[in-house]
Amino acid sequence: MAVRDVLVVGAGPAGLAAAIAARRHGLDCLVIEKGTVADAIYRFPTHMVFFTTPELLEIGGLPLTTPYEKPTRLEALRYYRRVVDTYQLQVAMHEEVTAVVTIGEGDRRLFEVESRTARGHVRVRDAHAVVLAMGYYGRPNLLNVPGEDLPHVSHYYREAHPFYRQRVVIVGGKNSACEAALELHRAGAHVTLVHRGEALGDSVKYWVRPDIENRIKAGSIAARFSTEVVEIHPTHVVVRGGGQQGTDAIPADGVLLLTGYQADHEFLRRAGVEIDPETLIPRHDAETFETNVPGLFIAGGQLAGRRTGTIFIENGRFHGERVAQVIASRLRTAGPLAGA
């Protein structure tokens, strides 16, 4: 079986940037992605506009052009497709990596990467190095309550139109929940915001906060603070708290659980990566992004641990260049990766 120089897991901006850097350093690189290119951005709300400016989303020196001050989700998806085509990156899509196993020792150490395609076919590939750039958006924080898996319940918000004249319960109190509540309200939905905190999150964007607070104050968006979801039924959501005794039922035609996302820490542990129990940050070298497993690197949002708001496309896109430098240097000077 042929041995790749490096396998990159994840075709988001950080993973694609790592693949571009690997290619520029002359490395044989394949990207494996469980969804499509820029899958996290694809999952963003349909009409989302980035808060950042175009140049801060760019990778590989390829310009992102837009007639607007801020790029849209659609423009970003078009841009990252162009990145893959321009740099002729090898990307295996709709293929989920299920295991990364270290085999051999010293100069003979390799990684065996197992994946499963959307049709159930299992593949195994070997590589001298692996870069994990899977982010965290594909793994929502679950409430672990009965009914969370009902068909009218989602951990992602796409667009408002299907909820016209519908009763929608949104669980969460940060940016995603607030922005969805406002868009749904303006599209004619009857919105109730349920949040376990006493008030909206401190990180709510400064231009969103007065808008949502005014809607709540006016009563056009209902809000239940200090309240938690107990269970979800086809026609209503059972909650507890908010100064009320016992439980209460909120009618709901749709339920959006916008409670944040996290990296797959168990996957990392199975690969041998140590995880800080408090911060959930993987153990890694801050200069090289190499984990405690020699030859296994991390790039992008997976580095953030619990503080998912600290790593974005804007800073995660730079990790891959340093990773590729380290891998290329070791392969040139010492053959297969023997560790630092």
Side-chain angles (χ1 to χ4, degrees):
M1 181 183 295
V3 180
R4 298 267 185 177
D5 291 331
V6 56
L7 288 172
V8 176
V9 183
L16 295 179
I20 292 170
R23 182 177 175 83
R24 286 178 170 170
H25 283 278
L27 299 174
D28 176 23
C29 175
L30 172 70
V31 182
I32 307 175
E33 166 58 51
K34 71 176 182 179
T36 187
V37 167
D39 197 67
I41 297 175
Y42 170 70
R43 291 172 177 264
F44 285 174
T46 303
H47 304 295
M48 193 204 81
V49 176
F50 283 87
F51 177 55
T52 192
T53 50
E55 68 275 7
L56 298 180
L57 301 181
E58 295 173 355
I59 58 177
L62 189 68
L64 193 170
T65 58
T66 171
Y68 311 111
E69 180 182 357
K70 307 289 176 63
T72 66
R73 164 188 169 275
L74 182 61
E75 289 176 316
L77 291 175
R78 185 184 301 122
Y79 170 75
Y80 291 115
R81 292 196 302 269
R82 186 159 62 92
V83 165
V84 173
D85 291 340
T86 299
Y87 293 103
Q88 299 179 350
L89 302 180
Q90 299 182 64
V91 184
M93 291 178 283
H94 307 291
E95 189 171 332
E96 182 174 9
V97 171
T98 54
V100 176
V101 180
T102 305
I103 56 176
E105 297 180 355
D107 291 346
R108 303 176 70 86
R109 180 189 297 117
L110 293 174
F111 290 96
E112 190 175 81
V113 178
E114 181 180 293
S115 61
R116 183 183 298 274
T117 69
R119 297 187 178 184
H121 180 66
V122 175
R123 292 176 175 167
V124 177
R125 298 179 176 92
D126 290 344
H128 295 301
V130 173
V131 182
L132 301 178
M134 299 182 293
Y136 52 80
Y137 198 64
R139 191 177 179 84
N141 292 322
L142 300 179
L143 298 185
N144 294 314
V145 299
E148 189 167 7
D149 58 349
L150 288 171
H152 70 305
V153 179
S154 176
H155 293 87
Y156 298 92
Y157 167 66
R158 298 305 299 268
E159 58 182 322
H161 180 73
F163 298 101
Y164 170 62
R165 290 191 175 182
Q166 300 290 293
R167 299 164 299 180
V168 184
V169 170
I170 299 176
V171 180
K174 296 184 179 180
N175 278 305
S176 295
C178 293
E179 291 181 295
L182 289 168
E183 188 170 329
L184 286 164
H185 162 66
R186 294 190 173 109
H190 305 285
V191 181
T192 299
L193 192 68
V194 174
H195 183 39
R196 64 182 181 180
E198 297 180 357
L200 299 174
D202 293 336
S203 61
V204 174
K205 298 169 184 174
Y206 67 86
W207 67 94
V208 173
R209 180 176 293 278
D211 195 357
I212 186 71
E213 288 180 342
N214 287 338
R215 301 289 76 73
I216 292 172
K217 184 177 180 180
S220 53
I221 293 178
R224 302 281 192 95
F225 293 108
S226 301
T227 300
E228 63 179 0
V229 174
V230 176
E231 56 185 322
I232 303 171
H233 294 265
T235 59
H236 61 278
V237 176
V238 179
V239 298
R240 178 191 296 117
Q244 299 184 24
Q245 298 295 323
T247 60
D248 188 21
I250 305 174
D253 301 301
V255 181
L256 297 174
L257 305 179
L258 306 183
T259 53
Y261 309 88
Q262 62 175 309
D264 189 345
H265 307 297
E266 289 306 314
F267 176 90
L268 296 176
R269 289 190 179 98
R270 291 196 303 271
V273 179
E274 298 174 8
I275 306 293
D276 185 286
E278 297 297 324
T279 66
L280 295 183
I281 294 176
R283 182 181 168 191
H284 67 282
D285 185 312
E287 292 296 321
T288 65
F289 303 106
E290 186 173 28
T291 70
N292 58 283
V293 179
L296 182 59
F297 299 80
I298 295 186
Q302 278 183 301
L303 289 163
R306 294 186 189 278
R307 301 180 62 193
T308 54
T310 61
I311 297 182
F312 306 94
I313 298 174
E314 293 91 321
N315 50 10
R317 62 191 174 134
F318 296 117
H319 299 164
E321 175 58 36
R322 180 57 180 147
V323 170
Q325 287 176 356
V326 173
I327 296 172
S329 175
R330 291 182 187 173
L331 286 174
R332 282 196 299 266
T333 60
L337 298 182

